[in-house]
């Protein structure tokens, strides 16, 4: 699958200067949200002061909800269902839990391109390229951040499901937070919130398994790694 506009953006986010490969870390155990944020904060500070390298951290969280900077309190439908964490990333309410691959991306845009909009677009392009490895056509929509799958039947009413969320924060041009790709989460857990503010008829949430693709997390990680290197440079 070709995405020319995403390919052109990818070149902007390859390192502009010689730098070490991006650290690629995968955690096998469930990582608590507060623990993950604390580690991200610490590592972003290390990147900013020159003592740390760029990093992508892949993990899964226990079931929880997070409220981004644009979250509407009315979108928290079941406040007692899971722990709720306020977070500094952009966006609204979202769910994290087992079966969802979260990738926290800590890149130094000082050595790449200082363009937040393009960075978000390239994160979306990264997910789209990874999904293409499983013959899934991921798409973007104006006014809706994240990656979508069009499941509209010929002649039928609109049916589009979100398969991946994007939420970022940038401090001193170093990025953190990142993406959440639904591999095999419990989709019923999304009903405790109006996920990402999605309330329009015909819009919902899906996953790779829900699409009939019983892929493993290792297979997803391999696809993400391949697509990341093509857009952002080598990892180690």
């Amino acid at each position: 699958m070709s995405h020319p506009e995403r390919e052109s953006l990818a070149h902007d986010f390859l390192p502009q200067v010689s730098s070490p490969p991006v650290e690629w870390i995968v955690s096998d155990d469930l990582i608590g949200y507060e623990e993950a944020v604390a580690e991200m904060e610490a590592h972003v500070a290390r990147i900013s002061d020159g003592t740390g390298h760029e990093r992508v951290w892949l993990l899964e969280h226990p079931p929880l909800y997070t409220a981004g900077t644009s979250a509407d309190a009315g979108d928290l439908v079941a406040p007692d269902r899971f722990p709720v964490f306020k977070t500094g990333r952009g966006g609204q309410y979202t769910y994290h839990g087992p079966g969802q691959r979260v990738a926290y991306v800590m890149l130094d845009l000082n050595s790449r391109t200082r363009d937040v909009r393009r960075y978000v677009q390239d994160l979306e392009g990264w997910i789209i390229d990874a999904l293409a490895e499983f013959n899934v056509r991921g798409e973007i929509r104006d006014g809706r951040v994240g990656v979508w799958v069009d499941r509209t039947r010929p002649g039928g009413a609109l049916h589009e499901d979100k398969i991946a969320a994007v939420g970022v924060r940038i401090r001193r041009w170093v990025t953190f937070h990142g993406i959440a790709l639904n591999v095999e989460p419990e989709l019923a857990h999304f009903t405790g919130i109006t996920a990402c503010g999605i309330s329009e008829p015909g819009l919902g949430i899906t996953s790779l398994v829900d699409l009939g693709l019983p892929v493993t997390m290792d297979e997803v990680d391999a696809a993400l790694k391949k697509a990341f290197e093509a857009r952002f440079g080598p990892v180690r």
Side-chain angles (χ1 to χ4, degrees):
M1 184 185 306
S2 177
H3 301 275
E5 75 283 2
R6 291 293 182 263
E7 291 167 5
S8 65
L9 292 177
H11 296 296
D12 291 337
F13 280 94
L14 292 171
Q16 304 291 311
V17 297
S18 178
S19 58
V22 176
E23 296 175 346
W24 188 265
I25 299 174
V26 180
S27 292
D28 294 325
D29 298 327
L30 297 181
I31 305 295
Y33 189 74
E34 291 176 313
E35 175 187 349
V37 171
E39 174 54 31
M40 271 196 296
E41 294 267 3
H43 195 71
V44 165
R46 289 191 289 269
I47 294 173
S48 294
D49 67 22
T51 61
H53 299 307
E54 293 182 312
R55 172 180 292 178
V56 174
W57 184 15
L58 276 62
L59 53 83
E60 294 172 81
H61 287 304
L64 58 91
Y65 297 130
T66 64
T69 55
S70 301
D72 182 335
D75 286 339
L76 183 58
V77 179
D80 299 324
R81 190 169 187 177
F82 297 124
V84 180
F85 298 93
K86 290 185 177 180
T87 177
R89 62 154 177 82
Q92 303 180 55
Y93 279 101
T94 194
Y95 165 78
H96 294 312
Q100 183 188 70
R101 176 50 88 210
V102 173
Y104 289 132
V105 184
M106 291 158 267
L107 298 181
D108 187 359
L109 300 190
N110 292 292
S111 62
R112 293 174 181 268
T113 297
R114 290 186 175 188
D115 189 322
V116 177
R117 178 175 175 273
R118 285 193 173 187
Y119 172 65
V120 172
Q121 289 177 332
D122 229 49
L123 289 179
E124 293 171 333
W126 170 34
I127 299 167
I128 288 169
D129 292 345
L131 289 172
E133 294 291 310
F134 306 106
N135 296 314
V136 173
R137 182 178 179 83
E139 300 179 340
I140 60 170
R141 293 290 182 264
D142 289 341
R144 290 194 246 141
V145 176
V147 177
W148 297 78
V149 177
D150 188 345
R151 306 178 77 178
T152 305
R153 295 180 181 276
L158 174 72
H159 181 186
E160 294 183 341
D161 287 340
K162 191 170 190 175
I163 194 168
V166 176
V168 304
R169 188 175 182 183
I170 297 175
R171 178 180 297 153
R172 294 172 61 187
W173 292 106
V174 178
T175 72
F176 54 125
H177 296 279
I179 70 166
L181 173 61
N182 295 332
V183 181
E184 191 179 5
E186 177 52 70
L187 294 181
H189 291 172
F190 284 90
T191 62
I193 54 174
T194 303
C196 305
I198 301 168
S199 59
E200 298 93 329
L203 303 183
I205 303 291
T206 192
S207 68
L208 286 169
V209 168
D210 183 55
L211 293 173
L213 297 166
V215 300
T216 67
M217 197 65 79
D218 286 343
E219 289 171 327
V220 170
D221 290 349
L224 285 170
K225 183 177 180 181
K226 177 182 176 181
F228 183 91
E229 289 194 304
R231 288 186 169 273
F232 296 98
V235 304
R236 64 180 174 89

